[in-house]
Amino acid sequence: MLSDAFYLSVDYLLTIIPVMVIGVVAAEFLVEIGWIHKIGFIVSPLIRFAHLREECSISFITAFGSPAASNSMLKKLYDDGIIERKELIVASLINSFPSIIMHWRTMLPVFIPLLGMAGMIYLGILTAVGLLRTLVTLLIGRFLLNEKKYVPNNIIHQPYSFSKSLKMSVKKSRKTIYRIITMTIPVTILVFVMIDAGFFEVLAAFLKEHAVFVPVPGEALPIIAAQFTANIAAYTIAGNLLSAGILNTKEIVVSLLVGKILSSIMSIRILIPYYVGIFGSKLGTQIMIYSALLREGILIIATVMLAIFWQV
């Protein structure tokens, strides 16, 4: 029912919008108090290698805690004219790796008891894919962007007091916050209406039908099918098949990777309001596509190589 879609969208908005707003204000606040130049040195070698401005370093660090806040910071820098469009795209793609590291805290308690070594290998592959994706993006930035002249810390302007900096940050962030809210709300509601109408279930059913053509044993198909609805269910099924000796470690890992690739279409229902809400319709869609192509492309290559060269 439409009422269910509305309530689900409100629940999602109440979760994501506060984080975006905090990210925008925090980006401006860190600039005002001068912290960008104090802690940016932590990741400055990576930022400089990719020919990004040093302001992007704060966004990368923030991504370890909140990817939404991190990307909101980048959009604020873009709106203020501090970074260009290409820099925004490259920096956003680089920021994807910290979020993978943060998933460890929720994934490890599930993988270890259910899958043991197979789960650790699967998680390690996902992490390696995320790292490789970031390295590729760093190289793209180095060749795509112009080298920057980095300003030494000793000539940076004196920051304002804490209270004044906070007030100025809120004031300067109003325009960006208004744009984020007015864009995120209608897009989110539309996506949840599409979910309620069964649009994504149709896509999932289509992919399930074609899962029989992937190079995995027939016994592994329940794992792949379960990943379209709930990852926990897929991991539970995989653990049972592994403990029963029906599938070995290699077959479990490859099946989980194949399922993740095929079921990635389901993530669109969350990614659309997320990216469009932060970056706007055109730029958000562009970043979402680039991110998906890099992620799925590298994951497909890794899965094929494992299937071919992993000797049991």
Side-chain angles (χ1 to χ4, degrees):
M1 297 175 62
L2 290 179
S3 60
D4 294 332
F6 176 76
Y7 287 123
L8 288 172
S9 62
V10 169
D11 183 64
Y12 176 79
L13 289 168
L14 290 176
T15 301
I16 196 68
I17 285 183
V19 176
M20 294 178 179
V21 171
I22 291 173
V24 171
V25 176
E28 190 64 46
F29 179 72
L30 291 173
V31 172
E32 294 294 336
I33 64 176
W35 276 24
I36 280 183
H37 307 289
K38 291 181 180 180
I39 67 176
F41 74 92
I42 299 175
V43 294
S44 60
L46 293 177
I47 297 302
R48 296 188 179 195
F49 177 84
H51 292 167
L52 293 167
R53 300 185 189 277
E54 63 179 3
E55 286 82 359
C56 295
S57 60
I58 292 294
S59 172
F60 184 83
I61 295 173
T62 303
F64 282 96
S66 171
S70 171
N71 281 320
S72 297
M73 287 182 173
L74 289 177
K75 187 56 168 62
K76 183 66 170 63
L77 295 174
Y78 176 72
D79 289 340
D80 291 344
I82 297 176
I83 61 175
E84 300 175 350
R85 185 184 184 91
K86 291 181 180 179
E87 292 176 288
L88 171 65
I89 295 174
V90 171
S92 178
L93 295 178
I94 290 174
N95 288 349
S96 62
F97 179 69
S99 62
I100 296 175
I101 300 299
M102 294 309 296
H103 280 319
W104 281 11
R105 60 188 178 188
T106 56
M107 296 173 73
L108 282 176
V110 175
F111 281 125
I112 293 178
L114 288 179
L115 297 172
M117 182 56 66
M120 295 300 295
I121 294 173
Y122 175 65
L123 181 58
I125 292 172
L126 293 183
T127 304
V129 167
L131 177 59
L132 181 58
R133 175 185 169 192
T134 296
L135 294 176
V136 170
T137 308
L138 288 171
L139 288 173
I140 292 174
R142 186 169 184 84
F143 289 104
L144 183 65
L145 304 175
N146 296 324
E147 187 174 1
K148 308 297 186 300
K149 292 183 178 180
Y150 298 95
V151 181
N153 289 348
N154 59 359
I155 63 174
I156 297 299
H157 69 279
Q158 292 297 319
Y160 296 106
S161 65
F162 182 92
S163 59
K164 186 175 182 179
S165 296
L166 183 58
K167 291 179 180 178
M168 292 183 65
S169 301
V170 174
K171 182 178 180 180
K172 291 182 179 181
S173 302
R174 288 176 181 173
K175 183 177 180 181
T176 301
I177 292 173
Y178 175 78
R179 182 199 54 76
I180 287 177
I181 292 176
T182 55
M183 180 66 72
T184 303
I185 290 176
V187 172
T188 299
I189 293 175
L190 175 61
V191 169
F192 276 91
V193 168
M194 292 171 66
I195 294 174
D196 187 69
F199 175 77
F200 294 100
E201 282 71 15
V202 172
L203 288 178
F206 173 79
L207 291 176
K208 284 182 182 179
E209 291 177 1
H210 291 77
V212 296
F213 299 106
V214 298
V216 297
E219 295 82 359
L221 292 181
I223 299 175
I224 297 175
Q227 282 179 279
F228 284 87
T229 54
N231 285 327
I232 295 296
Y235 304 149
T236 302
I237 294 172
N240 291 332
L241 293 174
L242 181 64
S243 61
I246 298 175
L247 297 177
N248 58 35
T249 299
K250 172 189 174 180
E251 292 168 335
I252 289 292
V253 172
V254 172
S255 298
L256 287 171
L257 291 173
V258 170
K260 185 171 184 61
I261 293 169
L262 292 175
S263 62
S264 62
I265 189 68
M266 297 300 290
S267 63
I268 294 178
R269 58 186 178 183
I270 300 299
L271 295 179
I272 290 176
Y274 174 79
Y275 280 104
V276 172
I278 295 176
F279 298 111
S281 57
K282 184 177 180 180
L283 184 56
T285 302
Q286 188 177 6
I287 294 176
M288 183 180 69
I289 292 174
Y290 289 156
S291 178
L293 288 176
L294 268 177
R295 180 182 64 252
E296 303 306 325
I298 295 175
L299 192 57
I300 289 172
I301 293 173
T303 302
V304 171
M305 291 182 64
L306 281 174
I308 296 175
F309 297 108
W310 186 353
Q311 300 296 325
V312 179

